[in-house]
Amino acid sequence: MSTTSSSSPAGEFSRLQWAAILFVVCCGFSSQMVSPLWVSAIISDFGLSEAAAGRVSSFEFMAVAVVSVVVALNITRFPTRKTVIAGMALLLIGNFASAFTPDENALTLARMVCGVGKGLVEAVVFSLVAGTTNPTRSFATLNVAYAVFSTFFYLCVPYTIVWEGAAGAFHTMGFVGVVGALFLPWFPERPLARSEITGFSLRAIPAYGIAAFVALIILWSGQNAIMTFIDRIGSHLGMSGTGVGRILSFAALLTIAGPVLARVIDTRFGFTAPLMIAIVLETLVTLLLGYSLSTTAFTLLVPVFMLMPLIVTPYLMGVLSLADPAGRLSAASSAAMTAGSSLGAWLGGMALTGAGYTALSWTASAQFLACALIFLFIAPVATRLGAHARAAASGAFGDPE
């Protein structure tokens, strides 16, 4: 690997390598960014219920989770660039194949192929980012890029759906994946873990690390329960798909403030206050979305709803890095978030089909409240250990234990 400029955001990568990481992961994950739009489109095109559409999305996310776990538990066996190339190839196959599927079963299979590719890409990228000198800031940078790309996709994809239905969304995601693949020659190629790491054991992970891992699952389950069907909520209020897309695009642009705020605040105020404030706001906004009666309320609430997890996630990723500095737990965190997203799509579809929009909001809110309880346990521990780690790195504590 080439020597890295000190001005690199990650501290270990050159600017070109960091740009390649961001473009590859964001272009590859376009289907995840705009899942509310294509889920709504397949409901219309295939005549599916919300529960059935939620299952399709759920299987895709679950494929991501399973593959991420396999990669994370065998992290030293996966060369970065070759693994990401294989993942991008499967992403392209899955997205383009989805445009030609005749029914729900074939579509589910195509989305699972896409999910396998995403799992390979996500685990590698998260492991690389987790190994940087300041993982909280690095993951915040990753989330800023994610928000910028989402802004573009939310604005464009609704028009391709108008022209070609769900196939238009899948074609767009496939072509965007091709653009991301053009950056693969500059993707970092280096070992994913230190040479002395020989295995992974849950017994070696402290309780606060496991709790943070569980919190990621629950957080993204609640988030995706709503996000999978956010277009349906807008449609219920009388909005068009392009109208919802414009709101989502504007909201995605505003969500840049989330990881930027996490970078500015960093951990100087500890973990407790940022985590608790964000999760309480997320819970309140989620409840209001379920009872929303106007497009104005929808327009105001959606940006806040999309912002809060992007404040929380960099802090949780920082906790995971403290619990396992080798980066294996952070690599597995991609599985936690996607497993949570899978569960959320399934639970959201069931709640919406069975009891309507208020039940959907209560399903998500209950999960956010569970996160709040976990945060009360992990945040004080992470604040103390994070301060110790920074002081040790600067030489104040000598050689850390």
Side-chain angles (χ1 to χ4, degrees):
M1 187 174 126
S2 61
T3 302
T4 306
S5 169
S6 61
S7 62
S8 169
E12 288 82 2
F13 303 122
S14 68
R15 292 187 182 277
L16 189 57
Q17 288 174 324
W18 190 246
I21 291 173
L22 296 179
F23 269 87
V24 167
V25 74
C26 289
C27 289
F29 275 73
S30 59
S31 65
Q32 190 162 317
M33 295 178 188
V34 296
S35 61
L37 302 178
W38 68 256
V39 165
S40 184
I42 66 172
I43 290 174
S44 300
D45 286 10
F46 291 89
L48 303 179
S49 66
E50 285 87 356
R55 283 197 301 270
V56 174
S57 179
S58 179
F59 274 107
E60 176 180 344
F61 281 113
M62 188 53 64
V64 180
V66 170
V67 173
S68 296
V69 168
V70 171
V71 174
L73 295 181
N74 300 275
I75 201 71
T76 59
R77 301 181 182 181
F78 288 85
T80 55
R81 190 179 298 164
K82 291 180 181 178
T83 302
V84 170
I85 288 173
M88 290 297 287
L90 291 173
L91 271 164
L92 295 177
I93 293 171
N95 277 324
F96 283 121
S98 296
F100 300 98
T101 52
D103 54 37
E104 178 188 346
N105 291 333
L107 178 61
T108 300
L109 179 60
R111 299 319 302 162
M112 289 181 70
V113 170
C114 185
V116 171
K118 285 198 290 187
L120 293 172
V121 174
E122 187 174 85
V124 169
V125 169
F126 275 44
S127 181
L128 288 173
V129 174
T132 60
T133 55
N134 193 327
T136 298
R137 289 190 178 185
S138 295
F139 278 110
T141 299
L142 190 64
N143 284 333
V144 168
Y146 195 91
V148 172
F149 276 74
S150 296
T151 300
F152 170 76
F153 294 137
Y154 282 132
L155 196 60
C156 297
V157 170
Y159 291 98
T160 66
I161 292 175
V162 170
W163 296 331
E164 202 181 358
F170 296 130
H171 278 138
T172 301
M173 293 184 290
F175 286 121
V176 167
V178 172
V179 174
L182 297 177
F183 288 83
L184 287 172
W186 297 281
F187 196 88
E189 187 170 11
R190 74 177 195 187
L192 283 169
R194 297 168 184 160
S195 58
E196 68 268 17
I197 295 170
T198 58
F200 180 86
S201 172
L202 285 177
R203 294 179 181 178
I205 304 300
Y208 74 89
I210 295 175
F213 194 82
V214 172
L216 273 177
I217 296 175
I218 299 173
L219 173 70
W220 286 96
S221 177
Q223 175 73 7
N224 211 47
I226 297 293
M227 276 303 298
T228 300
F229 301 101
I230 199 76
D231 184 73
R232 305 302 292 176
I233 296 175
S235 177
H236 175 69
L237 296 173
M239 302 180 67
S240 66
T242 53
V244 173
R246 284 193 293 271
I247 291 174
L248 292 175
S249 177
F250 177 68
L253 183 62
L254 292 182
T255 59
I256 294 174
V260 167
L261 187 60
R263 286 198 61 172
V264 171
I265 297 174
D266 197 17
T267 55
R268 60 174 56 92
F269 299 114
F271 286 77
T272 305
L275 287 173
M276 293 305 298
I277 291 172
I279 202 67
V280 169
L281 282 175
E282 183 78 341
T283 304
L284 293 175
V285 169
T286 298
L287 287 172
L288 291 173
L289 274 172
Y291 290 89
S292 177
L293 298 176
S294 70
T295 58
T296 300
F298 181 85
T299 301
L300 294 175
L301 292 171
V302 168
V304 181
F305 177 80
M306 292 174 62
L307 173 66
M308 291 304 110
L310 296 183
I311 294 177
V312 172
T313 298
Y315 285 98
L316 289 180
M317 298 303 295
V319 174
L320 295 180
S321 298
L322 289 171
D324 179 25
R328 294 162 299 181
L329 194 59
S330 293
S333 70
S334 63
M337 287 185 280
T338 50
S341 296
S342 174
L343 179 62
W346 180 73
L347 290 176
M350 294 291 290
L352 184 53
T353 298
Y357 294 97
T358 55
L360 176 63
S361 68
W362 276 105
T363 298
S365 296
Q367 295 178 82
F368 294 141
L369 290 174
C371 283
L373 294 177
I374 297 175
F375 293 165
L376 289 174
F377 164 65
I378 65 174
V381 178
T383 298
R384 183 177 68 254
L385 294 178
H388 179 87
R390 289 192 302 275
S394 64
F397 282 80
D399 188 24
E401 295 181 358

